[in-house]
Amino acid sequence: MTIFEKIAARQIPAEIVHEEDDLLAFRDVNPQAPVHVLIVPKRCIPRIGEAVASDADILGRLMLAVGTVAAKLGVKDTGFRVAINHGRDAGESVPHLHIHLLAGRPLEWPPG
Ligand code: 5GP
């Protein structure tokens, strides 16, 4: 099981901020902004570039959850950024697809 599957199974604690049947959102253990949440499918897709056509439904749900979570955490109006890291050069460290939702401070562009 990946770390995020263990969080979904409540085998590892996390501060969960939103849950749906097939996805979960919880605060990053090493936050890079005042609001830093990871939105993940409960079923592991290793990384975005390996998603397949049959993942289209969950990918859409994950994207829709971004707005829901941003509204829940009060950052939808002030703004937020989403990021997905794929592979070594992007700094991916957990092989389970996750959307970073960052907010609560001005976010530089371009990202480093
Ligand atoms: P990546 O670098 O793969 O895009 O992002 C992985 C993220 O997962 C990192 O921001 C890291 O802090 C977070 N993370 C790793 N292990 C855990 C954990 O056990 N719990 C939580 N809540 N976040 C984790």
Side-chain angles (χ1 to χ4, degrees), residues 3-4 7 12-15 26-32 36 38 84-85 90-95 98 100:
I3 294 171
F4 297 161
I7 287 174
I12 292 178
E15 189 182 339
F26 51 89
R27 293 192 192 271
D28 196 294
V29 75
N30 182 25
Q32 301 301 310
H36 186 175
L38 303 175
I84 300 174
N85 295 323
E92 176 205 312
S93 61
V94 177
H98 46 285
H100 294 261

Side-chain angles (χ1 to χ4, degrees), residues 24-91:
L24 195 64
F26 51 89
R27 293 192 192 271
D28 196 294
V29 75
N30 182 25
Q32 301 301 310
V35 172
H36 186 175
V37 167
L38 303 175
I39 305 171
V40 311
K42 291 183 180 176
R43 176 180 62 81
C44 180
I45 298 168
R47 53 195 59 80
I48 190 66
E50 291 169 21
V52 296
S54 59
D55 296 322
D57 185 64
I58 183 61
L59 293 177
R61 289 173 189 279
L62 289 164
M63 285 297 166
L64 291 170
V66 167
T68 303
V69 171
K72 260 191 177 181
L73 299 180
V75 297
K76 194 168 179 180
D77 292 337
T78 46
F80 58 86
R81 178 170 298 155
V82 293
I84 300 174
N85 295 323
H86 174 118
R88 182 195 60 199
D89 283 357

